[in-house]
Amino acid sequence: MIVLGIESSCDETGVALYDTGRGLLAHAIHTQVAMHEAYGGVVPELASRDHIRRLIPLLDWVLAEAGAAKADIDGIAYTAGPGLAGALLVGSSFAAALAQALGVPALPVHHLEGHLLSPLLAADPPTFPFVALLVSGGHTQLMRVAGVGAYELLGESVDDAAGEAFDKTAKLLGLGYPGGPQLAELAGKGGPTGLKLPRPMLKSGDFQFSFSGLKTAVLTQVHGRTLSAQERADLAWEFQEAVTEVLTEKSVMAVRHCELDSLVVAGGVGANRRLRQRLDARAAAAGLRVYYPEVALCTDNGAMIAYCGAQRLLRGQCGAPGGAFGVRPRWPLAESSALL
Ligand code: KG4
Ligand code: ZN
């Protein structure tokens, strides 16, 4: 079966074709970063309009790349939430209309489930059960994953997500949007100084996180001062050390707590090289294995949505062809099996 995946929850339009027998056939992503850059963040209405412009050309491109026709599509998976309401509605109405026209089911997918299962698209995928560290712009969660649809939340951030902390701290350091990758690049030019930022909740004994205090600690360092280029790089380095240390230690703790030996890392911050370095080193010492999606599939993409939709279809978890469509801008993953 071939499933078309549509992702439009924020500022990336992703379209992909996944074949349950042959794997990922093609995927394409259009990022709106350049469009939102001038505003220092995502402008929801601009995002929605751009998704409208991009979806049909991206669909045509993936069909051509896969050597497939619309008639070959057996189901259409789309991100139903969480995300920006208008942006989600573009993807869901596109999916519902095409599903209706082709007489195939439209499959609502939870965006975080997409990230969570994206490492299963890799050439050497993990096997269930595993612990997943979900680190995106909106979420930081540790989850026990027993199988497709079986997710137990172990802990999460009580305030800012790790990606959000990267983005806000990048802004404090005068960097552009999106801040995560730019801060990581700046950190590469920095190193240790006498300054030590806090490691929030490192010793809390649970799987909760907190990153907003770290951003405030950086604010205290930059407030009313003009930092040299080297001082900014050193501060970025120390911030990245603090975030990646907490994420690494808590993840290893969670895998041990669940008496498992695999950790899966997903979401945009999973692209961070220092985080990967730390996790690999700690995991090797602890006899654990860490799995990552390929870097192109760490951030938002249609491939992970197509994959989740395919799992639904394989299990017969789909409604009638076409069917109702809806979005849930706020949608806890624990409720994702609930009907929209
Ligand atoms: O998963 P994602 O693409 O979108 C959400 O669902 O939120 O994650 C985006 C987040 C942003 O906060 C971005 O700054 C962060 O991931 N990010 C990074 C890196 N690449 C992306 N953060 C740190 N280092 C990176 N290399
Ligand atoms: Zn995402």
Side-chain angles (χ1 to χ4, degrees):
M1 283 184 293
I2 294 181
V3 177
L4 172 69
I6 308 279
E7 157 62 33
S8 70
S9 65
C10 190
D11 58 348
E12 255 110 29
T13 321
V15 178
L17 282 172
Y18 179 83
D19 184 322
T20 51
R22 292 180 291 160
L24 190 60
L25 301 180
H27 83 104
I29 302 171
H30 174 80
T31 177
Q32 303 176 354
V33 163
M35 191 178 75
H36 298 296
E37 210 168 15
Y39 305 96
V42 179
V43 183
E45 183 55 29
L46 292 182
S48 309
R49 292 182 200 183
D50 202 58
H51 288 307
I52 294 172
R53 273 193 293 272
R54 305 292 169 181
L55 277 171
I56 291 175
L58 287 175
L59 172 62
D60 289 342
W61 190 89
V62 293
L63 284 170
E65 178 75 6
K70 288 194 188 92
D72 298 327
I73 297 171
D74 298 295
I76 302 178
Y78 65 95
T79 302
L84 301 170
L88 289 167
L89 275 167
V90 174
S92 70
S93 44
F94 183 87
L98 192 57
Q100 189 75 43
L102 298 177
V104 300
L107 307 149
V109 170
H110 193 290
H111 182 78
L112 291 186
E113 184 177 24
H115 278 304
L116 203 61
L117 300 186
S118 59
L120 297 172
L121 283 162
D124 179 21
T127 51
F128 298 115
F130 52 75
V131 167
L133 170 68
L134 240 171
V135 267
S136 69
H139 296 83
T140 297
Q141 300 185 328
L142 275 164
M143 206 100 63
R144 187 183 189 282
V145 182
V148 173
Y151 315 120
E152 180 197 344
L153 183 66
L154 300 169
E156 64 186 330
S157 177
V158 297
D159 42 52
D160 291 354
E164 190 179 356
F166 263 94
D167 294 339
K168 288 178 174 172
T169 304
K171 222 174 210 177
L172 291 175
L173 293 174
L175 301 171
Y177 156 88
Q182 293 192 29
L183 192 145
E185 201 190 324
L186 181 62
K189 297 173 189 150
T193 59
L195 171 75
K196 183 105 173 148
L197 292 174
R199 270 45 177 173
M201 296 183 89
L202 183 61
K203 307 266 185 240
S204 64
D206 56 20
F207 305 114
Q208 304 290 87
F209 299 92
S210 166
F211 293 111
S212 73
L214 202 47
K215 171 198 67 198
T216 313
V218 172
L219 178 63
T220 311
Q221 294 300 317
V222 298
H223 189 67
R225 293 177 57 205
T226 309
L227 267 57
S228 70
Q230 191 57 49
E231 284 173 325
R232 284 170 62 240
D234 292 341
L235 197 49
W237 184 88
E238 176 58 15
F239 170 82
Q240 183 173 256
E241 288 303 296
V243 175
T244 56
E245 183 178 342
V246 178
L247 290 174
T248 302
E249 293 309 314
K250 294 236 166 173
S251 301
V252 170
M253 221 173 80
V255 182
R256 286 207 175 120
H257 168 83
C258 295
E259 298 181 347
L260 297 175
D261 54 14
S262 312
L263 174 70
V264 161
V265 182
V269 184
N272 186 276
R273 258 190 282 151
R274 181 64 179 137
L275 177 63
R276 290 184 176 214
Q277 246 174 25
R278 273 187 181 275
L279 283 170
D280 288 342
R282 275 295 269 120
L288 312 175
R289 186 145 179 221
V290 193
Y291 296 84
Y292 307 94
E294 40 169 294
V295 173
L297 300 184
C298 271
T299 46
D300 295 348
N301 64 84
M304 65 186 193
I305 304 304
Y307 180 82
C308 286
Q311 302 312 308
R312 290 277 130 70
L313 210 54
L314 282 171
R315 288 163 179 77
Q317 296 165 343
C318 52
F325 71 100
V327 298
R328 286 190 55 179
R330 288 173 190 276
W331 189 13
L333 180 58
E335 290 172 17
S336 68
S337 54
L339 285 177
L340 280 163

